[in-house]
Amino acid sequence: MSGAVTGSGEALLRVEGLKVHFPIRGGVFGRPKRWVHAVDDVSLSIRTGETVALVGESGCGKTTTGQAVLGMTTPSAGRVLFDGVDVHAAQGDERRMIRRDIQIIFQDPFASLNPNMKVGESIAEPLLIHTDMSAAARRTEAESLLERVGLRASHYDRLPDQFSGGQRQRIVIARALALRPRLIVCDEPVSALDVSVRSQIMNLLMELQAEFGLAYLFISHDLSVVRHLSDSVAVMYLGHIVEEGPSEAVFFNPTHPYTEALLSAIPYPDPAYQATRRRIVLSGDLPDPSDPPAGCPFVSRCPIARGDCAAGPPALEPVAGAEPAHTVACFYRGKGGAAPAG
Amino acid sequence: MSVTARAPTEEAPLTVRDLSVHIEGAPVVDGVTLDVRAGETVALVGESGCGKSMTALAVMGLLPPAAHVDGGTIRINGSDTTRQAEHAMQRLRGDKIAMIFQEPVSSLNPLMRVGAQIVEALLSHRRIDQQAARRAAIEMIDRVGIPDPETRFRQYPFELSGGMCQRVMIAIALICEPAILIADEPTTALDVTIQAQILDLMRALTDETGTALLLITHDMGVVADMADRVAVMYAGRIVETAPARALFARQRHPYTRLLLGTIPKVEGQGRTLLPTIEGVVPDMRELPVGCRFHPRCPLAGPRCRQEAPPLAAAPDDPAHESACWFADRVGEIA
């Protein structure tokens, strides 16, 4: 089991041994023929005011993990605890508390706003559902949220199609803030935005975090964005966390061969430097998640794989000589001593 | 790179001169001049709506119905295609000039086997028999790095991953050995490890064949990795153009400088605020007078609000051009 949180009392969110398996149905009675192991034994924890990033490529299970945190998908095994309350078992007041305290920001600001609803009403709607504020108070609150995210109070009565992508993402952020949540799941919040707009929204997210003491579960495929925003990082591959630790540790001392390849694959915006970098180009594609390789999930693409890597999945263990929070799931890396080179 | 491998007198396979495209009165491409020489990769960069894709579509003769070329020339292998009939352009497309798009999966015909799509591209321009075309297609599948080409030849696009589909698109584009390849955000929809594979493949194939590559992208990392020369577009115009290393080393337009500053870097400092560019891209129907970047520019002065600056060469580097009245002061921007 990974993510053995020291002083677990302070964790706002704890994900313990989470598994999410989706059935592929077939045959006459629609019985599950196979299972897609979307998330396989993922553990992590987030403290108040902290940003934990989940990074990985399409199909690695990062979004499904985020959905399980939000209670949008049911785990096959494991638990998600928010402030000590099991997100998937909560009833009544506890359930309402969770619905208020965990919010989400999606990737596509065009698809996540109702095109026929005034943007101010979209922002005020959570207040209508979860509070007994008067209509006038809700409007005042929505207007002040619009201003807080860098728009104008007078934008309240406009429809989404009058805004650019970056402005819509600001509106989505304002809506997520309306109930003063404690945790926001950010699923690729800047991936659909232009470069110059992306930096504006990243800065806004960091400012709001400091102001409201927010915790972020930040889901992204973009390591350079993650590098800028996160305190700690979990790298996912095929449903497993293969490496995790403080952001500095993972970025400056990448230990898992996949993390290394992922970092080396990002082209650096400087041709002179880019020409001199050691790059690891992985061969092949991600394996079919309904038919994962036996043993280490990365074995089929790993440049240092050996025969015994197929024996069983490696556990997340502390990287030798690094800080204890830096863990890696590899039979050969992070052991100290004679680790094979790439 | 083989930038200067050919005699300088030989005309570049693609030359665009003063190209302008309007959509409902909005000048979405305004006076774009661009050469892509044999064996060279030129990156056209900018944010959404800057006109980079419209420039590419104009070159391909594939502009949407609302868009019209209303000035300038596009010469492909020496002949001006803005004056040619559609059937002549059809003969060129896929033969002398080819294009690959951002979404490989939706760019392929889902009901047709991938091999047949490559064969079709070849047979529409070459008089060869089916068997020879089939052999050429299988060889091409192999060259774009798809394992087991005979099997893949018979498969449908849904049986292939996104990265494989982009390899098939590249195979279709290169089967007739075009002089010019236009790649519009070819790796934007792909994961970063697959992007690295596709960029390597494009580099290897264009080096091998001497194909002129016009790469349209918003990603400065991809530009740094691939381009010999760069042209930066803003609001329909090229604002700066230079050899890639010169452009990254020193910017002579404030937009380029600010744009590079806003990029989060994986090897940079964590948990710090990023530089931003004030304001938003202008509405193409209500463009600012003078320099189109002046409302967002920290260097803007009275002249910038009245007169649009022309592209002018740097005093010490004739290949480095920018359209800024204060090009020499761009380095002052933090």
Side-chain angles (χ1 to χ4, degrees):
Chain A
M1 190 70 72
S2 68
V5 184
T6 48
S8 58
E10 50 187 312
L12 178 65
L13 178 82
R14 291 188 62 181
V15 176
E16 296 177 344
L18 179 73
K19 293 187 182 185
V20 183
H21 295 176
F22 296 115
I24 299 175
R25 295 183 187 281
V28 184
F29 300 105
R31 292 200 186 97
K33 285 200 310 191
R34 284 182 301 170
W35 295 85
V36 173
H37 296 218
V39 179
D40 229 353
D41 200 11
V42 161
S43 298
L44 50 90
S45 69
I46 307 179
R47 290 187 297 259
T48 296
E50 189 185 38
T51 301
V52 172
L54 276 181
V55 299
E57 300 179 283
S58 320
C60 72
K62 57 191 191 298
T63 290
T64 308
T65 304
Q67 288 180 341
V69 166
L70 289 155
M72 288 160 66
T73 191
T74 311
S76 315
R79 295 192 303 172
V80 177
L81 299 172
F82 180 79
D83 208 5
V85 177
D86 187 330
V87 167
H88 296 274
Q91 298 291 328
D93 284 349
E94 283 186 338
R95 192 175 170 82
R96 272 189 292 280
M97 177 274 286
I98 286 167
R99 288 281 162 90
R100 274 198 311 273
D101 282 356
I102 312 181
Q103 296 292 323
I104 181 158
I105 300 167
F106 293 103
Q107 173 173 356
D108 186 352
F110 291 85
S112 44
L113 287 170
N114 181 339
N116 298 314
M117 199 185 229
K118 292 173 181 174
V119 298
E121 289 174 356
S122 281
I123 296 169
E125 197 178 31
L127 299 169
L128 172 67
I129 295 163
H130 285 275
T131 73
D132 51 11
M133 286 167 81
S134 69
R138 291 196 303 267
R139 182 172 180 119
T140 308
E141 178 63 15
E143 286 173 348
S144 88
L145 283 164
L146 276 167
E147 288 178 343
R148 181 61 200 87
V149 298
L151 298 170
R152 286 197 283 274
S154 60
H155 288 150
Y156 185 97
D157 291 306
R158 295 198 187 168
L159 292 172
D161 66 8
Q162 293 175 274
F163 295 93
S164 68
Q167 289 173 318
R168 287 185 205 205
Q169 202 60 308
R170 290 177 191 272
I171 294 162
V172 170
I173 291 169
R175 181 178 62 185
L177 287 175
L179 293 169
R180 296 291 181 266
R182 292 195 282 165
L183 171 69
I184 300 182
V185 176
C186 306
D187 193 351
E188 303 273 12
V190 297
S191 302
L193 306 176
D194 265 320
V195 186
S196 70
V197 181
R198 185 172 66 184
S199 62
Q200 294 172 1
I201 299 295
M202 285 169 65
N203 286 352
L204 177 64
L205 287 171
M206 284 190 273
E207 287 162 13
L208 294 171
Q209 176 168 47
E211 188 177 331
F212 296 101
L214 292 164
Y216 291 141
L217 177 59
F218 196 91
I219 297 167
S220 181
H221 72 284
D222 189 330
L223 284 128
S224 42
V225 169
V226 163
R227 171 78 193 106
H228 249 274
L229 285 167
S230 60
D231 298 294
S232 63
V233 181
V235 181
M236 288 189 75
Y237 187 82
L238 213 63
H240 297 260
I241 292 178
V242 296
E243 180 164 2
E244 72 175 314
S247 185
E248 304 268 308
V250 173
F251 280 92
F252 292 123
N253 182 24
T255 303
H256 197 281
Y258 178 64
T259 313
E260 235 181 11
L262 208 53
L263 283 169
S264 86
I266 303 167
Y268 194 82
D270 176 358
Y273 179 61
Q274 180 64 15
T276 63
R277 283 174 82 200
R278 187 171 82 98
R279 295 188 308 143
I280 305 162
V281 178
L282 293 177
S283 57
D285 282 315
L286 200 70
D288 179 352
S290 70
D291 185 19
C296 174
F298 190 54
V299 66
S300 60
R301 298 173 78 194
C302 183
I304 62 162
R306 298 178 181 185
D308 47 352
C309 290
L316 270 173
E317 285 168 4
V319 175
E323 42 193 310
H326 187 185
T327 56
V328 66
C330 178
F331 290 118
Y332 292 107
R333 285 288 176 83
K335 306 296 179 206
Chain B
M1 292 294 139
S2 50
V3 183
T4 51
R6 316 226 162 187
T9 48
E10 189 178 329
E11 185 174 319
L14 177 64
T15 64
V16 176
R17 288 286 171 275
D18 214 17
L19 177 70
S20 293
V21 176
H22 279 218
I23 297 180
E24 289 167 6
V28 293
V29 177
D30 191 0
V32 163
T33 290
L34 193 70
D35 281 356
V36 191
R37 295 186 277 264
E40 184 185 41
T41 295
V42 173
L44 196 53
V45 295
E47 300 181 276
S48 312
C50 71
K52 59 191 193 299
S53 289
M54 282 298 156
T55 302
L57 292 174
V59 170
M60 289 297 291
L62 292 174
L63 282 172
H68 302 280
V69 172
D70 56 6
T73 58
I74 300 167
R75 293 168 72 84
I76 294 174
N77 272 357
S79 53
D80 183 356
T81 60
T82 53
R83 291 169 214 289
Q84 282 179 354
E86 171 56 22
H87 66 87
M89 199 59 221
Q90 268 179 18
R91 276 205 307 273
L92 286 178
R93 269 198 302 269
D95 186 7
K96 298 284 177 271
I97 182 163
M99 183 161 177
I100 56 176
F101 298 89
Q102 176 172 347
E103 287 289 343
V105 181
S106 54
S107 306
L108 291 167
N109 182 342
L111 301 177
M112 202 168 160
R113 294 175 202 272
V114 298
Q117 299 190 47
I118 302 171
V119 167
E120 183 186 48
L122 185 56
L123 289 181
S124 20
H125 298 288
R126 299 282 182 274
R127 286 169 187 274
I128 55 171
D129 65 72
Q130 277 283 343
Q131 277 313 309
R134 189 191 141 88
R135 278 196 303 276
I138 288 172
E139 193 196 315
M140 197 67 215
I141 296 174
D142 188 42
R143 274 178 74 197
V144 295
I146 299 179
D148 197 4
E150 303 261 353
T151 308
R152 296 297 183 180
F153 184 91
R154 291 187 300 274
Q155 286 186 320
Y156 289 93
F158 78 89
E159 296 176 273
L160 274 57
S161 67
M164 287 292 175
C165 284
Q166 195 60 295
R167 288 174 192 269
V168 171
M169 284 304 301
I170 293 171
I172 293 172
L174 296 184
I175 189 78
C176 291
E177 297 176 350
I180 306 149
L181 174 65
I182 300 180
D184 190 356
E185 302 275 5
T187 57
T188 305
L190 304 176
D191 277 316
V192 63
T193 60
I194 307 299
Q195 164 170 292
Q197 294 174 1
I198 296 293
L199 294 180
D200 273 9
L201 173 68
M202 287 178 32
R203 188 170 22 236
L205 291 177
T206 51
D207 277 358
E208 199 177 302
T209 58
T211 302
L213 176 61
L214 179 61
L215 178 68
I216 316 276
T217 182
H218 72 282
D219 186 331
M220 284 293 188
V222 171
V223 174
D225 194 41
M226 296 288 289
D228 299 308
R229 283 191 300 127
V230 187
V232 181
M233 285 188 80
Y234 183 80
R237 288 183 179 154
I238 291 180
V239 295
E240 183 163 7
T241 178
R245 288 196 181 209
L247 185 102
F248 281 87
R250 184 182 61 154
Q251 300 82 43
R252 291 185 52 82
H253 195 283
Y255 177 65
T256 316
R257 183 160 180 92
L258 291 165
L259 193 64
L260 283 169
T262 63
I263 302 170
K265 292 169 192 76
V266 86
E267 302 179 15
Q269 271 285 311
R271 309 286 303 169
T272 48
L273 291 184
L274 286 161
T276 57
I277 306 179
E278 292 299 312
V280 292
V281 173
D283 185 332
M284 294 303 285
R285 288 159 300 189
E286 297 168 43
L287 286 164
V289 179
C291 172
R292 290 177 182 173
F293 189 61
H294 86 252
R296 306 176 73 186
C297 183
L299 297 180
R303 189 177 190 187
C304 309
R305 297 183 194 98
Q306 286 156 10
E307 273 181 88
L311 269 178
D316 55 345
D317 183 358
H320 194 158
E321 294 181 305
S322 72
C324 178
W325 295 122
F326 299 113
D328 294 332
R329 287 180 47 206
V330 170
E332 295 169 18
I333 303 172

